[in-house]
Amino acid sequence: MSYVDEVLEVVQKKNADQPEFLQAVTEVLDSLRPVIDANEELYRKNAILERITEPDRQFIFRVPWVDDKGQVQVNRGFRVQFNNAIGPYKGGLRLHPSVNLGIIKFLGFEQIFKNSLTTLPIGGGKGGSDFDPKGKSDREIMAFCQSFMTELSKYIGADVDVPAGDIGTGAREIGFMFGQYKRIRGTFEGVLTGKGLTYGGSLARTEATGYGLLYLTQEMLKCHGQSMEGKTVCVSGAGNVAIYAIQKAHQMGAKVVTCSDSTGWIYDPEGIDVELLKEIKEVKRARLTEYAAARKSAEYHEKKNGEHGVWSVKCDIALPCATQNELDIEDAKMLVANGVIAVCEGANMPTTLDATKYLQQNKVMFVGGKAANAGGVATSALEMSQNSERLSWTFEEVDSKLQDIMITIYHNIDDAAKRYGVEGDYVAGANIAGFEKVVVAMLAQGVC
Ligand code: NDP
Ligand code: 2IT
């Protein structure tokens, strides 16, 4: 049996109850086969694959907090520190009722390779809780965040592990967590990214994931003799990543005609009105029904199981920006039948494995989240740099570094795919390029 298959078998046995983690590991190890085969003896002797698929450590803790009725509520908190071979653990905090250890591990595992691709010195980690921020008052959010940080503060630090936002965690939550960290540890340090601009946050971090997604997509199209100009785009999600992806796509001359949230989706043939979407999602924290109510050209569709949602709309480019496994094989067939030319993942693992294969087999340019959404964490690393030198860069400075990073990522994954004879397979290219740097560091640092 090959080394990859042996390790996959062990990982499957040890983590049988974590389907998302197994999906992420299978995708990575499968696509690393050419690299592993070429270095099998060295990697096997050093147990590289066994070590890279087992987190350095994982914390699971109780998060008690008091709701507005005086009732004590209890949630479960997680932080998985996966791999710090190339820098301090870095990765977001997800607050969503679906969160469990397997989901945090899949996200932490992906983060190792993504963070390596950014070209910046950051390791992989992820955390979160099954807390549901929906419908909670600001006071309840603060109570949860303070309790969560009371425990988390024991394990993190500016040179140790630097959390940030993800689903359900935005500037408000980061602010409450930062305040509590400062209170407990007594230090003002860059322990979180995505902070407010008045206390160490970076300009352009809010926009970075969505903007970065479009910078990479544009570069890929350019290298294939195309551009975003005049393209019709379908986006899913209506959160941080989706909003700024839509904004940048419009700035590049494309028209985005869809977005979605957890209860429904919008088709707006005139193009999504980003200012309206921002008001509804960032300010009012309301449903997309309000978008349809405020805009004549928009149709609202209730989400129904088994329907294709935004992926049923004809488009040139699809950008899934909501959550994992939101684009399945049936959606992929629909997109291909409608002539899609590129699918780039703003979310983490939004496309199922068989859907990814189907898109690639049908010559759709496909870039996975590790490369396509790396602009968020890359800009978090730029926030860490600014915190370290106690300076703030201008929006233009950060945005221009972000553009350079995304263009570099595209060329690095393209080159890696070519080097291993799988030209155009950007999934393999991203995994290979991300893995190579981490492995060199792991080997150099000995058994740890
Ligand atoms: P937000 O919480 O800002 O937005 C998430 C969006 O996705 C919301 O519109 C939400 O709907 C929808 N959504 C969430 N869960 C589900 C679900 N189970 N089913 C259907 N819709 C859902 O999160 P982000 O925009 O930050 O994150 C989106 C994706 O991008 C995630 O996969 C995240 O891991 C990834 N990502 C985020 C980065 C960042 O910097 N924020 C960086 C890189 C990747 P509703 O409005 O109803 O809640
Ligand atoms: O998935 C991700 O890359 C993020 N949620 C951003 C992590 C970060 O540390 O900025």
Side-chain angles (χ1 to χ4, degrees):
M1 204 192 277
S2 76
Y3 180 36
V4 166
D5 289 319
E6 265 175 43
V7 173
L8 272 177
E9 203 176 284
V10 174
V11 171
Q12 272 154 11
K13 244 186 226 152
K14 280 191 179 173
N15 305 279
D17 57 342
Q18 298 176 351
E20 292 86 0
F21 177 59
L22 293 178
Q23 182 180 341
V25 172
T26 304
E27 183 224 86
V28 170
L29 295 200
D30 251 343
S31 70
L32 287 178
R33 281 178 199 277
V35 188
I36 309 295
D37 289 349
N39 301 280
E40 172 150 355
E41 209 186 317
L42 178 68
Y43 291 173
R44 201 188 261 279
K45 186 158 185 262
N46 286 280
I48 289 294
L49 296 185
E50 291 86 339
R51 285 197 277 153
I52 212 165
T53 52
E54 186 69 25
D56 288 356
R57 64 196 66 78
Q58 356 185 7
F59 304 101
I60 303 181
F61 48 91
R62 182 175 66 238
V63 187
W65 56 279
V66 182
D67 72 15
D68 284 346
K69 294 187 186 115
Q71 174 66 47
V72 176
Q73 301 286 344
V74 178
N75 285 100
R76 186 170 281 181
F78 301 90
R79 185 72 185 168
V80 172
Q81 296 179 337
F82 223 116
N83 185 300
N84 65 353
I86 63 169
Y89 306 105
K90 182 85 197 84
L93 296 170
R94 179 173 291 191
L95 301 182
H96 193 272
S98 63
V99 163
N100 57 41
L101 183 60
I103 288 183
I104 298 300
K105 276 175 64 184
F106 117 64
L107 290 162
F109 181 71
E110 299 259 299
Q111 206 83 46
I112 303 171
F113 306 94
K114 184 197 303 192
N115 293 4
S116 168
L117 285 173
T118 64
T119 71
L120 301 168
I122 39 179
K126 200 84 184 190
S129 171
D130 58 3
F131 173 76
D132 186 359
K134 281 213 179 69
K136 304 287 190 299
S137 68
D138 281 354
R139 197 210 59 81
E140 288 175 324
I141 297 284
M142 183 172 74
F144 169 82
C145 289
Q146 291 183 336
S147 179
F148 181 78
M149 183 51 87
T150 300
E151 185 63 26
L152 186 68
S153 64
K154 297 171 191 167
Y155 316 119
I156 61 176
D159 293 316
V160 179
D161 181 357
V162 182
D166 194 79
I167 291 178
T169 307
R172 175 181 58 167
E173 292 73 22
I174 293 291
F176 292 145
M177 290 183 196
F178 186 75
Q180 186 72 351
Y181 180 87
K182 210 164 45 93
R183 226 170 133 201
I184 292 174
R185 297 284 290 263
T187 60
F188 192 112
E189 61 178 47
V191 66
L192 293 164
T193 58
K195 299 184 292 298
L197 295 178
T198 57
Y199 57 94
S202 173
L203 285 160
R205 173 61 187 93
T206 305
E207 294 85 352
T209 313
Y211 278 21
L213 173 66
L214 268 297
Y215 293 145
L216 183 139
T217 305
Q218 174 84 306
E219 182 67 12
M220 177 177 70
L221 291 177
K222 195 175 114 192
C223 294
H224 288 81
Q226 308 234 25
S227 86
M228 286 300 296
E229 180 83 40
K231 296 288 188 298
T232 300
V233 182
C234 282
V235 166
S236 65
N240 173 264
V241 180
I243 287 172
Y244 294 95
I246 296 170
Q247 188 173 72
K248 185 52 75 177
H250 285 170
Q251 287 170 11
M252 289 176 168
K255 181 155 79 170
V256 181
V257 292
T258 65
C259 64
S260 64
D261 65 15
S262 45
T263 52
W265 59 281
I266 292 287
Y267 172 56
D268 188 344
E270 308 254 290
I272 298 291
D273 179 339
V274 182
E275 288 314 310
L276 176 61
L277 187 64
K278 282 174 76 168
E279 173 69 18
I280 291 167
K281 285 293 173 187
E282 291 182 346
V283 182
K284 294 189 187 158
R285 301 179 191 275
R287 316 303 317 158
L288 282 177
T289 40
E290 292 213 9
Y291 181 95
R295 193 150 153 99
K296 268 210 182 93
S297 54
E299 289 169 18
Y300 176 78
H301 300 261
E302 202 72 29
K303 185 178 169 184
K304 293 195 190 101
N305 276 343
E307 287 191 0
H308 299 290
V310 298
W311 313 127
S312 64
V313 174
K314 185 173 166 51
C315 65
D316 304 305
I317 291 161
L319 305 174
C321 296
T323 192
Q324 65 270 5
N325 294 327
E326 52 157 315
L327 196 166
D328 65 15
I329 182 73
E330 297 307 322
D331 300 325
K333 286 181 180 166
M334 177 77 77
L335 285 167
V336 169
N338 280 333
V340 75
I341 61 164
V343 176
C344 298
E345 295 185 330
N348 286 310
M349 209 170 73
T351 314
T352 61
L353 287 176
D354 53 353
T356 301
K357 288 222 166 71
Y358 184 85
L359 291 167
Q360 290 179 318
Q361 281 160 1
N362 283 278
K363 307 280 174 253
V364 175
M365 291 177 252
F366 180 90
V367 187
K370 290 185 209 83
N373 71 38
V377 75
T379 307
S380 277
L382 300 179
E383 183 173 327
M384 290 165 72
S385 299
Q386 293 168 76
N387 292 166
S388 295
E389 63 176 11
R390 303 204 190 290
L391 290 174
S392 307
W393 306 338
T394 63
F395 186 96
E396 289 68 29
E397 239 175 313
V398 180
D399 189 40
S400 133
K401 286 188 189 348
L402 171 63
Q403 289 186 47
D404 289 347
I405 288 168
M406 298 313 295
I407 290 170
T408 302
I409 292 176
Y410 171 72
H411 289 286
N412 286 346
I413 68 174
D414 186 41
D415 288 349
K418 285 178 181 153
R419 269 192 285 124
Y420 282 91
V422 285
E423 182 166 356
D425 182 345
Y426 302 121
V427 173
N431 291 334
I432 293 168
F435 175 77
E436 282 178 333
K437 183 170 150 191
V438 176
V439 161
V440 170
M442 284 173 72
L443 289 170
Q445 291 169 29
V447 182
C448 56

